[in-house]
Amino acid sequence: MPRKMWTFDFECPACSGSPSLTSKGLYNRVRNVIDLTCRYYLGAEYLECRSCRGTFISHDARLLGQLPDAYQVRFPVILTRKYACDKAVVHLMRARTLGSSPSAVCYDVHEMQTEDWMRRTISYLTDCERHRKSHQQLNLLSCNYRDPPDFKSPPTPKWFLATHIRDVWMRLPWLKASATSVYGEVLKIDSTKKITRKLQGKGAKSASWCTNIGNQRGEILISIMTTSESLSNLSRMADGLVDRYAKALQPNPFVLYTDRDCCKADEEKSKFQRLFHRWENLLVRLDSWHLMRRISKACSNEPPPLYGIFMSKLSGAIFEWDEKDVNLLRQAKSNELVLAGLRNPSADAVNKSISKTELAKHCKRRTRGRDTTVHLIENLLLSLKNATDPLGVPLLGGEAWSIWKEKVRHVACIKDPEGFQLYTNIGDILKGGILLPVFRCARGTTALESLHSHLNSFIPGTVANDVHFQAYVLDGIVRWNRERSIAAIDSPGSTLRSFDQKLLLKENSLRSTVLHQSTQPAYHAPVA
């Protein structure tokens, strides 16, 4: 009841002159609100416009939108046609995990409300039992006790699903602003078919591919559903992304990583160079892991025990570690061994103590160059030409050289762009008394492949219609981007965990204005 509680002066949403609304008393109906453990009722005021004689309920969306943000955030429910849902229940369905489907939330709420009703019933019947015994001790007439209130089951899972979709549409402008406010100098493009299989109903078979473009932090710039990966289907996506960069005055991206279509044998422009032709200086690079996988087809059908050694040598032929970073890490690990009680550790002992994770975390690496890589890979193939496993199965198949001759042209496509730093220092860590840098690498399409493994969890269940599909994917991508932006910045850990862009923006702006404190470093205000 905002007018009675805060004496807020509402304006009539129907009149052109916007006269003030006057109170007409309390509304004669209350809303039944579904909470986590119980139900409660929502009352409202009845307001009237003396100019047009229109009447309005105080929880009308047109009136709630007139309230200041400090009052809007206090409104605890989302209204539906018959019931209302407490926001605590809605928040359980926002998380994109296996246990956040509307059915799972419905059953959890049903269970919690049942147990709460049983606790209240036990308390009531216990008091009745105590009262009955006291009457017996005093030889008084027995009393008849009323039955406890009947338990009312919560609505069906369909109602919970409809409530979640209504919540997404209420936040739609903020979700769209957040999703379209992501940029990057390193772009990555990849497609998957996994998520489109869940699209059913009228939209079934209307899309076969989900194409995503991400940046160096793993955030998603754009995600579209298409029937194919042809230039005609992707051209609108590319033009829209180029226009978004231009309107936001963002610098053009420097490099685009992909897992295929990086170049053409006849030296014409590749597919993505034609797709993003308005970015004339955009470099298209192939993900190095996909090239290694293609070359590894030279091995036998059944990977022998030497397969791991072959892939390790192949990686060494493509990349070289930064000598300065490696020496600093070796010194830190040597100091750790000394602190652990090992005097004068040998170079072999220090190298064995360095894990692959530590090497990738604290050391940069770069490509060796086309000629050097080609020479080293050819030497590797020659040296393993007659290699066999203990059972006599050869490591390399008979078509090893033909496969290499076909893929050798892609070696130039994995070369690191000159004059551009692919590594970002996101923090430091102390090891063995030495401060080691922590790097994040922007090379390759690994982040997008990680997203594809999570896309299915964005949509609970096995099927979704077109409306629910879009709501789930949009909300899931915004939450994904928020988590990636937090993980990309080395800052003091915050106990706050929120994905509501409106709340984050208002809290950060008020904190900066009133308390003169810096905002959260991982938060970027969306652009409307």
Side-chain angles (χ1 to χ4, degrees):
M1 300 183 182
R3 193 176 187 280
K4 290 184 177 297
M5 294 174 61
W6 305 310
T7 63
F8 187 81
D9 190 15
F10 286 106
E11 296 179 352
C12 179
C15 295
S16 57
S18 299
S20 299
L21 299 179
T22 58
S23 178
K24 199 179 178 182
L26 298 179
Y27 190 55
N28 58 2
R29 294 182 182 179
V30 292
R31 284 294 187 101
N32 197 334
V33 183
I34 307 299
D35 200 359
L36 287 174
T37 59
C38 62
R39 296 187 180 201
Y40 62 88
Y41 295 99
L42 176 70
E45 295 176 89
Y46 212 30
L47 305 176
E48 181 184 20
C49 176
R50 294 184 177 179
S51 176
C52 66
R53 311 307 297 177
T55 55
F56 305 90
I57 308 173
S58 59
H59 53 58
D60 190 311
R62 296 171 294 179
L63 300 185
L64 292 177
Q66 299 180 24
L67 293 172
D69 291 335
Y71 293 157
Q72 288 189 29
V73 297
R74 299 186 189 185
F75 192 63
V77 302
I78 292 178
L79 299 173
T80 61
R81 186 181 66 86
K82 184 177 180 181
Y83 298 102
C85 186
D86 192 272
K87 290 184 178 179
V89 178
V90 177
H91 287 178
L92 294 180
M93 294 184 284
R94 289 184 181 178
R96 300 275 60 86
T97 58
L98 295 177
S100 62
S101 67
S103 297
V105 173
C106 176
Y107 299 146
D108 290 341
V109 169
H110 195 164
E111 180 180 349
M112 287 187 289
Q113 289 189 359
T114 300
E115 293 179 355
D116 183 74
W117 176 84
M118 294 175 67
R119 283 190 288 267
R120 293 173 182 270
T121 301
I122 290 174
S123 177
Y124 166 70
L125 295 179
T126 301
D127 291 340
C128 292
E129 177 68 13
R130 187 184 303 112
H131 185 266
R132 185 185 64 82
K133 288 183 179 180
S134 63
H135 272 225
Q136 289 178 352
Q137 292 175 356
L138 297 175
N139 294 324
L140 297 177
L141 296 176
S142 60
C143 298
N144 294 325
Y145 301 100
R146 293 183 179 180
D147 294 336
D150 295 334
F151 175 75
K152 295 181 180 180
S153 300
T156 63
K158 289 185 178 180
W159 179 84
F160 283 88
L161 174 59
T163 303
H164 173 64
I165 300 303
R166 185 182 294 265
D167 170 57
V168 173
W169 293 147
M170 289 173 61
R171 297 181 289 118
L172 186 60
W174 290 92
L175 293 176
K176 292 171 64 176
S178 177
T180 55
S181 299
V182 180
Y183 303 93
E185 295 180 329
V186 178
L187 300 185
K188 309 169 184 193
I189 185 169
D190 199 6
S191 302
T192 181
K193 281 188 172 182
K194 297 178 181 178
I195 190 174
T196 55
R197 300 188 184 114
K198 290 189 172 184
L199 182 58
Q200 298 297 325
K202 294 182 179 179
K205 298 182 180 180
S206 62
S208 301
W209 289 93
C210 174
T211 301
N212 302 286
I213 297 181
N215 62 11
Q216 64 270 23
R217 294 181 295 274
E219 300 168 302
I220 305 303
L221 279 71
I222 191 170
S223 178
I224 65 169
M225 307 294 162
T226 60
T227 55
S228 68
E229 295 182 285
S230 63
L231 287 174
S232 59
N233 283 336
L234 298 179
S235 58
R236 291 181 60 188
M237 174 200 70
D239 293 340
L241 189 59
V242 173
D243 291 339
R244 188 204 300 181
Y245 269 77
K247 291 178 181 178
L249 302 179
Q250 292 289 327
N252 294 343
F254 194 79
V255 60
L256 172 71
Y257 280 97
T258 179
D259 59 351
R260 57 186 179 276
D261 299 322
C262 55
C263 62
K264 296 192 70 174
D266 52 7
E267 296 185 358
E268 293 183 3
K269 288 187 176 182
S270 66
K271 170 184 174 180
F272 294 112
Q273 287 176 329
R274 286 180 290 163
L275 188 64
F276 297 99
H277 63 276
R278 293 166 59 185
W279 288 334
E280 298 179 356
N281 298 323
L282 180 67
L283 301 177
V284 179
R285 290 291 184 261
L286 177 67
D287 181 72
S288 57
W289 174 247
H290 284 85
L291 177 61
M292 292 173 60
R293 293 280 295 178
R294 296 176 190 179
I295 297 175
S296 67
K297 292 181 180 180
C299 297
S300 303
N301 292 333
E302 295 293 334
L306 296 176
Y307 179 79
I309 299 176
F310 174 77
M311 295 299 288
S312 177
K313 296 291 185 181
L314 187 59
S315 177
I318 297 175
F319 296 104
E320 60 179 349
W321 292 100
D322 186 280
E323 185 177 356
K324 182 179 178 181
D325 294 337
V326 173
N327 290 335
L328 188 63
L329 178 59
R330 285 173 178 166
Q331 185 178 353
K333 297 300 289 186
S334 177
N335 293 349
E336 282 189 344
L337 293 176
V338 172
L339 294 174
L342 181 63
R343 296 183 179 181
N344 299 323
S346 63
D348 291 339
V350 173
N351 290 337
K352 289 181 180 179
S353 66
I354 299 176
S355 65
K356 294 181 180 179
T357 303
E358 290 177 319
L359 199 61
K361 187 176 182 180
H362 302 296
C363 301
K364 302 186 294 292
R365 64 176 184 173
R366 55 182 176 268
T367 54
R368 295 180 180 272
R370 183 191 180 281
D371 295 338
T372 304
T373 298
V374 170
H375 177 71
L376 291 176
I377 293 178
E378 289 180 347
N379 287 344
L380 174 63
L381 295 175
L382 286 173
S383 64
L384 297 176
K385 180 179 180 180
N386 299 320
T388 59
D389 66 0
L391 298 178
V393 178
L395 171 65
L396 301 178
E399 300 180 352
W401 279 101
S402 61
I403 293 175
W404 165 242
K405 293 301 181 183
E406 180 185 354
K407 303 301 179 184
V408 66
R409 65 185 178 91
H410 291 300
V411 174
C413 299
I414 63 173
K415 180 183 177 182
D416 289 343
E418 297 181 2
F420 186 81
Q421 182 57 257
L422 292 174
Y423 284 85
T424 304
N425 189 342
I426 61 173
D428 301 286
I429 188 172
L430 191 65
K431 282 189 177 182
I434 295 179
L435 198 63
L436 295 176
V438 178
F439 295 110
R440 185 189 68 245
C441 182
R443 185 189 297 112
T445 60
T446 306
L448 281 185
E449 293 168 3
S450 176
L451 168 71
H452 292 167
S453 64
H454 288 79
L455 274 176
N456 277 336
S457 65
F458 287 178
I459 302 177
T462 56
V463 296
N465 64 28
D466 50 356
V467 175
H468 299 166
F469 188 93
Q470 294 180 70
Y472 279 127
V473 172
L474 177 59
D475 195 22
I477 286 178
V478 171
R479 295 175 69 91
W480 170 272
N481 288 348
R482 172 67 178 159
E483 290 182 336
R484 298 286 76 76
S485 65
I486 294 175
I489 297 179
D490 180 67
S491 60
S494 174
T495 57
L496 300 178
R497 178 180 172 82
S498 175
F499 300 91
D500 193 314
Q501 296 297 324
K502 185 176 181 180
L503 289 179
L504 287 170
L505 176 63
K506 195 61 180 179
E507 193 272 339
N508 278 275
S509 61
L510 287 174
R511 180 181 293 273
S512 177
T513 304
V514 179
L515 302 179
H516 304 289
Q517 296 179 358
S518 60
T519 59
Q520 301 180 41
Y523 175 71
H524 303 283
V527 180

